[in-house]
Amino acid sequence: MHSAPLPVSFYLRDVTQVARDLLGKRLIHNSPGGILTGMITETEAYDGHDDPASHSYPGPKPRNTMMFKEGGILYVYRSYGIHFCANAVTGAEGYGAAVLIRSVEPESGKNVMAANRFGAAGVGKKDAAVISNGPGKVCQAFGIDMSHNGVSLQNGAVNICDSDPVEDAAVGMSERIGITKATDRMWRFYIKGNRYVPKQ
DNA sequence: CCACGGATTGGCT
DNA sequence: GCCAATCCGTGGA
């Protein structure tokens, strides 16, 4: 029931393995509005070497600094000038890989998440499936922004805690969404049939 | 200094 | 299905 944050060693493995194993784990944000938790239902791997789609591909830059830290921290970036996307950094110091959290199934704090997404007046008036079924939506619902870039996932306000593994038969794989490079790699992982996972 | 475009989303045709 | 919104890192002049 009460599970511990995943240890740093969990993240010091191949990024595709971490992306797959993060399915079913619990994302937790002890936010100003209350404790928010949800089960990770969809991820994508971005490698530190030979992956043109990765932000780390051009090498260390001001924006991607956190990707090159040791695994087990959060990398947040602004997408299309409007949204934020959250990643779990993986690999050793200097490697430059991360797992994008694309969708989450809300567990605790659903009303706060709905308020974060739609405003207080929108709570209870929108289809729940649309609260966190995309990377920008996850960050908005969970109240994650650039202030969380680089925070530890073990002992800060944002954690990822252990939970029951998802069996192989329930894991779907596909090419990554929304990219134009290295589209041949099947580095998107999701829980089949989950209503918070789009494009199945 | 300036121009370009993206790991997205939601609204309109 | 198409496309605008909107920021800022990055790269070329």
Side-chain angles (χ1 to χ4, degrees):
Chain A
M1 300 282 279
H2 186 75
S3 54
L6 293 169
V8 169
S9 59
F10 177 91
Y11 300 96
L12 303 185
R13 300 178 296 150
D14 184 271
V15 66
T16 57
Q17 192 67 53
V18 177
R20 184 255 176 267
D21 289 347
L22 276 175
L23 294 178
K25 303 308 183 194
R26 186 162 292 114
L27 177 66
I28 301 174
H29 183 197
N30 191 345
S31 80
I35 295 189
L36 311 176
T37 77
M39 181 180 71
I40 296 172
T41 51
E42 182 188 7
T43 61
E44 280 177 3
Y46 288 87
D47 199 9
H49 296 285
D50 302 317
D51 181 7
S54 174
H55 286 174
S56 60
Y57 188 67
K61 294 280 187 297
R63 180 175 71 147
N64 63 22
T65 298
M66 296 309 168
M67 280 190 81
F68 289 90
K69 303 268 188 188
E70 181 179 61
I73 65 172
L74 199 64
Y75 164 54
V76 183
Y77 67 92
R78 185 182 289 280
S79 176
Y80 291 90
I82 307 170
H83 309 286
F84 299 110
C85 292
N87 304 250
V89 174
T90 72
E93 169 99 35
Y95 188 82
V99 175
L100 172 67
I101 299 173
R102 285 197 58 91
S103 66
V104 166
E105 175 177 333
E107 292 173 335
S108 305
K110 294 179 188 177
N111 286 342
V112 175
M113 293 185 202
N116 287 345
R117 287 269 292 129
F118 314 122
V123 176
K125 296 183 178 176
K126 299 270 189 177
D127 182 353
V130 101
I131 287 184
S132 55
N133 62 340
K137 299 176 186 180
V138 169
C139 283
Q140 191 178 12
F142 275 73
I144 294 172
D145 57 36
M146 292 306 293
S147 72
H148 304 287
N149 190 27
V151 301
S152 166
L153 291 172
Q154 282 77 47
N155 50 30
V158 179
N159 295 290
I160 298 177
C161 288
D162 200 6
S163 190
D164 294 334
V166 177
E167 61 185 49
D168 285 343
V171 175
M173 295 172 53
S174 78
E175 60 199 58
R176 293 172 289 182
I177 293 176
I179 60 171
T180 56
K181 301 165 188 168
T183 53
D184 57 315
R185 292 173 209 188
M186 306 290 276
W187 283 358
R188 171 176 176 250
F189 303 86
Y190 59 92
I191 298 177
K192 288 181 186 173
N194 185 284
R195 70 185 295 232
Y196 294 90
V197 179
K199 302 180 183 178
Q200 305 190 45

